[in-house]
Amino acid sequence: MAEAHQAVAFQFTVTPEGIDLQLSHQALTEIYLSGMRSWKKRIIRLKNSVITGVYPASPSSWLFVVIAILATMYTRSDPSMGLIAKIQEHLPSMSTQCQVVLSAVLFSTMLWLLLIFTMRLCLKQLLSYHRWMFEQHGKMSTTTKVWVYLESVRPLMDDAKFERMTKLATEFESSLGNRLQWYLKLKALWASNYVSDWWEEYVYLRGRGPIMVNSNYYGMDFLYVIPTPIQAARAGNSIHAFFLYRRKLNKEEIKPVSTVIPLCAAQCERIFNTTRIPGEENDTVQHWQDSDYIVVYHRGRYFRLRVYQAGRLLSPREIEFQIQRILDDPTPPCKGEAKLGALTAGDRIPWAKARAKYFSSGVNKRSLDCIERAAFFVTLDDDEQCVMGDDSAASLDRYAKSLLHGKCYDRWFDKSFSVVYYKNGKKGINGEHSWADAPVVAHLWEYTLATDSFQLGYNAEGHCKGEVDASLPRPQKLNWEILPECEEQISQSLAVAQALADDVDFHVFPFQDFGKGKIKKCRVSPDAFIQMALQLAYYRERGTFCLTYEASMTRLFREGRTETVRSCSNESSAFVRALEGGEAADVCRRLFRAASEKHQLLYRLAMTGAGIDRHLFCLYVVSKYLGVESPFLKEVLSEPWRLSTSQTPIQQVELFDMVNHPEYISCGGGFGPVADDGYGLSYCILGENLINFHISCKHSCPDTDAHKFGAQIRKALHDLIKLLSPIEKEPNKTEEKKMEVKKEL
C-alpha cells in the first residue's frame, strides 16, 4: 500500500504534547504540478476560444484596424462618416484627447466585428456550395424525396406491392407530410443540425438490446507485420501515441479532414474521457474535460494507470514498465470482479438497474467512476492473434471476432473506445457507436499506428526506446464489493452476450488479384465497382435483390453524421439481370455504366444533404411527438437492411509509405450484421492492388454464410473486371487532351 500513502498530502496525530502534523512534500509537489497542468490546459482552451471566436480574422488584425482608423483621423479624415463624433457624445467626461482616442477605438472594434461577421457570412455561403460535386452529372433532380424513395424500392417489389406503396406515398405527401415538414423546417431554423441529435438519441441511445455486436465496431492492426512481439512494449508506444493525439486535439492542431472543403470535426470533441451511461429508458453519453489516467483490464483485475507524473506525459518506455508491472502482478481478482464487464455486453435495462442498485455508493461507485472517467479503456489479452506465419483465413476470422466481442466480459463496451493488446504484440480497437461514427475513430487509429511504428519505434530487443524512472508509483488495483445478487445479474448478462457472440459468423479476407489501380483504368469509381459486385454476388446467392445500405458521411454540414446510399437501384438490378441473362457484352457494359453513374449520383446527393433516409426518419420522429400515425413512414422505417455496407477509406495517406513499405497496411475494420437474415460488410481500398473485406452474418440464419458470400464476391469482382477489360484498352480521350495541351505548352 506504499502508493496509497504517497497519495496523502498530510497526516496528523493527536498527542499529549499537541497535534503532530506531518507533510508529504512529494504529494504536495504532485498536487502543485497537477494543478499547473490543469491551468495550462485552461489557458490553451481560452486561447483557442479567442482565436476561433474571431475567425477568419485574427486578434492582431484588431490592432491593425485600430491603428488604421487612428492614422486616418490624424490626417484630418473621418472614415466613420460622423459615427466617431456620435460615440464621443455618449462617453463620460474626460480630456478631449482621451475621448477622441477611446471613441476611435470603439468604432474600430465595431468595424472589426462587422468585417468578421461579413467574412463569416461569405465563407459560410462559399462552403455551402456543393454543385462542384455534380459538374459531370447535369442538374440535380427536382423529384421529391418521397418519390426518390419509391424509385429506390421499385426493384424490390412486384407490381401489386409497388402500387400499394405508391398509394401510401401519395396520401402521405398530400396530407400529413406537409404538416410534419413544417415542424421539421421550424426545428432547422434554430438547431445547428436538424438530424444529428435525434439520430443519436433514437437510433443509438434508446436501443435496449446489447450494444456489443449490434452497435459497436472494430479496427484491426497492420495486416502483414507486428512491430514488436512484446505485449507491454506495443502497449507502451501505442498508449503514448494516443495521448499525443489527445494533446494535439486539445490544442486544436489536428489537420482538418477535407474533400475539397474541410469536414465538420464536432464529433472529435468526445473521443477521449467519454462513456455511455446506461438508463432504464435511454442511455446518455457522459464526457469529462480531462483525465490523466487509463483503466487496464488483465486476468479479471482492473487497474488504474496514471500516464502523467509530475505534470508530464510518461515516456513510452515508462508506460511499458507500468504495463509490465500489471502483467506480473499476481493479485487475484476480487469476488465477482473477473466477469464484471459482461454487464456492458448484455441488455441495457438490467445493466441500468444493477448500476443504480449496486454501484451508486461506496467502493463500487468509486471504482466504477474510475473506469467511466478514464481517458480510454485497455485490455491486456492473454490470447495471441494472427501469429506470424499463419496466413490462413481462419486466423483473420478469429481476430475479427475477438475484437468485436472478445470473451464478452474482458472489454468495457460502454467506453468511447477500448484498445486490445494481445500476447504476441498484435493490437486492435473496439469503438462505441453512439458518440461518433467510425471515420473519427479510424482517423485516431491511423495516427497511432503510424506514430507507434514509424516515429517512436523500438530498440533492437523490441522494447520501447528511452529510460525508466523506477520510482514511479505502481498502478492501482481497483477494489469491488460484489454482492451475490449482483453476481447473478452478471451471469445473466454474460449468458445473453455469449449467445449473441456465438451466433456471429465472420469472414475477413484480403483481395489481392487487383485493386483500385486496375478499376480506375476501366474509368469507373472503385466504390461503385465494388457496390455493383456486391449486388451481383447477392443476386447469385439468393436469387433476388435486397434493400442495400451504404453509409455516406454528411460532415460537409455542421454536426453532420451519416446518410444512406441505397445501392440497389433500378439501374443496378437491370445490369445484374442482363449479365445473368446472358445479354451481349456491349449491352452489359452500357447497363453497368448507367448503374455505376447512378450510384455515384446517389452518393453525391447523400453527401450534400439530398438523401432521403435521414429526412424520412426525422419526419417519423415528428409524427411520434405529435401522436399521429403514418402507414407510409411506418413501413419505410420497418424495412430490413439485409445488406449493410460501409467503405473505410484511408484518411491520412501521407502517414504511410505504401510504395516502400506496403506491409505496413491496416486491415481496416468491420461490424456485426444489421439484420438477422442479412450481412454486415465493410471494405477498405488500400493502395493500388489491395481491397480488404470484412463480412459478418449469423449462424442461426440458414440462408447466410459469410464464407460462401465471400466466394461469391471474389467471383463477381473477377467477372466485372473481365467484362470491363475492353474499356481499359480503349484510348482515354481525356488523357489524350491533357497530353495535347502539355505539348502546346
Side-chain angles (χ1 to χ4, degrees), residues 1 8 79 88 107 130 243 251 262 274 289 300 377 439 456 551 576 592 617 638 670 705:
M1 296 296 291
V8 179
Q88 194 172 340
F107 170 76
H130 300 145
F243 279 92
K251 293 183 177 181
T274 300
Q289 283 295 324
F377 190 83
L456 300 176
V576 171
F592 176 86
F617 161 77
S638 63
D705 186 302

Side-chain angles (χ1 to χ4, degrees), residues 39-103:
W39 275 104
K40 283 180 181 178
K41 293 192 71 172
R42 291 179 186 178
I43 293 171
I44 289 172
R45 288 196 194 103
L46 178 62
K47 173 189 169 185
N48 289 337
S49 297
V50 172
I51 293 173
T52 55
V54 301
Y55 183 83
S58 63
S60 59
S61 63
W62 172 82
L63 185 61
F64 175 80
V65 174
V66 171
I67 293 174
I69 295 297
L70 289 173
T72 54
M73 288 183 64
Y74 280 108
T75 59
R76 300 188 180 277
S77 300
D78 186 7
S80 69
M81 295 180 290
L83 284 176
I84 292 178
K86 289 285 186 182
I87 295 172
Q88 194 172 340
E89 293 174 4
H90 295 83
L91 293 177
S93 58
M94 59 182 74
S95 66
T96 305
Q97 188 68 18
C98 288
Q99 281 188 331
V100 171
V101 172
L102 184 57
S103 58

Side-chain angles (χ1 to χ4, degrees), residues 333-451:
C334 298
K335 186 175 182 294
E337 178 185 13
K339 298 180 179 180
L340 179 63
L343 290 171
T344 68
D347 291 321
R348 305 304 291 175
I349 293 177
W351 171 210
K353 290 180 178 179
R355 187 178 188 276
K357 187 174 182 179
Y358 305 115
F359 299 90
S360 59
S361 62
V363 65
N364 287 351
K365 184 180 189 305
R366 290 193 295 273
S367 295
L368 181 62
D369 283 348
C370 184
I371 293 176
E372 293 179 341
R373 292 170 181 264
F376 54 92
F377 190 83
V378 167
T379 294
L380 300 176
D381 203 308
D382 279 340
D383 295 336
E384 295 185 354
Q385 296 293 340
C386 295
V387 179
M388 297 303 292
D390 183 3
D391 298 327
S392 65
S395 175
L396 285 174
D397 299 347
R398 288 193 301 270
Y399 183 28
K401 282 180 66 67
S402 176
L403 289 175
L404 187 64
H405 54 68
K407 297 181 180 69
C408 302
Y409 58 80
D410 54 351
R411 319 278 189 260
W412 200 267
F413 294 101
D414 286 353
K415 286 300 291 182
S416 54
F417 67 92
S418 302
V419 190
V420 184
Y421 299 98
Y422 295 99
K423 190 175 182 179
N424 61 330
K426 204 76 173 174
K427 70 175 182 176
I429 193 168
N430 181 288
E432 200 279 312
H433 211 325
S434 64
W435 62 275
D437 299 307
V440 176
V441 174
H443 191 275
L444 164 69
W445 189 238
E446 289 172 12
Y447 175 87
T448 57
L449 283 174
T451 305

Side-chain angles (χ1 to χ4, degrees), residues 231-257:
Q231 184 179 21
R234 192 76 196 280
N237 264 5
S238 179
I239 292 170
H240 185 83
F242 277 113
F243 279 92
L244 291 180
Y245 187 93
R246 192 180 74 164
R247 179 187 292 170
K248 291 168 70 73
L249 189 65
N250 289 339
K251 293 183 177 181
E252 299 183 8
E253 295 175 352
I254 301 291
K255 181 182 177 182
V257 179

